[in-house]
Amino acid sequence: MLDGTTQLVAIVGSPIVQVKSPLNFNTWFQDHGLDLAMLPIDLRADSLPAFIGLLRGWQNLRGCVVTVPYKQLLAGQLDQLSARAQLLGSVNVIRREADGTLCGDNVDGEGFLGAARQHGFVPAGGNALVLGAGGVGSAIGCALCEAGLARLVITDVDAARARALGDSLRGTFPATEILHEYASLADFALVANASPVGMGNGGELPLSEAMLATLTQGCLVADVVTSPAVTAFLHRARALGARTQTGAQMARAQMGHLGHFMGVMPPGV
Ligand code: NAD
């Protein structure tokens, strides 16, 4: 129950009905007996400038999670950005300091990596393939490089987008070899779909059946897509004997990073 004493966090995007964060955060706040709540905000794009002003003045608001389509748009309007949010040009979380200063970070990649570590994936010295170099693919690529990956192959149907990301990551993480082509999946300890392919019930795969047949049993196959819960890609990977990670597991692993950045959860949740 909200009261005058309740401290708030928010999640902003449009549409907002599909997000799971309010349920996850509010359950956690309630289970821990905290006077905190998360509000979902479906915001029209032309209200973004007013929204930024509102965030600065909203004294019982601790922070705001940011989702599609505002991750890039909001990054340009904050007072401070983490180094990775600067590199990625996007934020998925904002902290409001007591004086109204707004600080942004992007923990999409940390959430993905946290879930992958829970599945036994060790990034340091490893090889990974990421399919999709958009917002989430960039964040995952960045987190993998930061964690000491030896070789990252990152592809996109928009080849120029993958190359631009590769150039930017190489500049920041010279110890990781970054490529855009591969002949088989045999060398990868992790194969991640970071594209929207497989959303809905169409059953599309981000890789050909012939390429999937080269998967090794020890590989972790991950999907960022959250609906359906188990995509056709993950079904095929399971049938081929691979371990799998769902989009929901990535989202759940992110909650602690988002909550900690906004100052409403301790580290390690
Ligand atoms: P985006 O539009 O920024 O990027 C998607 C990229 O995928 C584009 O560059 C596109 O060209 C590329 N692409 C499309 N088809 C491809 C293919 N067959 N092979 C390789 N690349 C391909 O979108 P985004 O913000 O990165 O979101 C991607 C997906 O991640 C969405 O489905 C979104 O819902 C999901 N997502 C999940 C979580 C989570 O916590 N699980 C968090 C954020 C986003």
Side-chain angles (χ1 to χ4, degrees):
M1 187 63 77
L2 302 188
D3 203 350
T5 56
T6 307
Q7 293 281 300
L8 300 171
V9 288
I11 176 165
V12 66
S14 190
I16 207 72
V17 288
Q18 78 290 355
V19 297
K20 300 286 181 277
S21 285
L23 181 64
N24 290 340
F25 273 84
N26 288 324
T27 302
W28 195 90
F29 293 150
Q30 192 173 23
D31 288 350
H32 291 78
L34 298 170
D35 191 11
L36 278 158
M38 176 175 273
L39 305 175
I41 300 176
D42 186 340
L43 192 77
R44 264 193 358 220
D46 60 4
S47 293
L48 270 180
F51 180 68
I52 285 286
L54 181 69
L55 286 184
R56 290 189 199 286
W58 194 339
Q59 301 199 92
N60 63 346
L61 186 93
R62 306 282 291 276
C64 185
V65 174
V66 181
T67 187
V68 179
Y70 298 133
K71 292 182 182 186
Q72 286 84 10
L73 284 169
L74 279 172
Q77 304 196 35
L78 305 180
D79 303 308
Q80 292 169 21
L81 292 180
S82 67
R84 65 185 160 209
Q86 262 175 45
L87 176 72
L88 297 168
S90 72
V91 294
N92 74 340
V93 61
I94 298 169
R95 178 177 61 244
R96 180 190 182 280
E97 306 287 10
D99 65 357
T101 301
L102 300 178
C103 309
D105 195 4
N106 187 320
V107 299
D108 270 329
E110 286 306 302
F112 176 90
L113 191 53
R117 287 187 203 272
Q118 286 169 24
H119 284 283
F121 172 68
V122 179
N127 287 349
L129 169 65
V130 177
L131 307 163
V136 170
S138 307
I140 292 172
C142 180
L144 289 170
C145 292
E146 205 170 13
L149 199 75
R151 193 195 322 146
L152 171 68
V153 180
I154 191 152
T155 68
D156 199 294
V157 284
D158 180 347
R161 196 170 194 185
R163 276 199 306 275
L165 174 63
D167 289 344
S168 147
L169 290 177
R170 262 178 227 109
T172 310
F173 305 105
T176 304
E177 183 185 12
I178 298 175
L179 306 169
H180 304 294
E181 283 172 12
Y182 58 100
S184 110
L185 304 181
D187 287 341
F188 298 115
L190 170 74
V191 174
N193 176 40
S195 81
V197 174
M199 267 175 90
N201 291 317
E204 301 89 356
L205 297 170
L207 288 174
S208 69
E209 285 283 357
M211 186 56 80
L212 270 170
T214 66
L215 203 60
T216 53
Q217 290 217 344
C219 186
L220 174 65
V221 176
D223 208 321
V224 298
V225 170
T226 49
S227 179
V230 180
T231 57
F233 182 46
L234 295 186
H235 273 301
R236 286 298 296 132
R238 285 179 185 178
L240 291 162
R243 290 169 300 131
T244 57
Q245 172 179 317
T246 65
Q249 288 170 339
M250 167 182 169
R252 175 62 188 80
Q254 258 199 82
M255 184 178 80
H257 297 284
L258 296 168
H260 182 55
F261 186 78
M262 293 187 289
V264 295
M265 284 180 185
V269 172

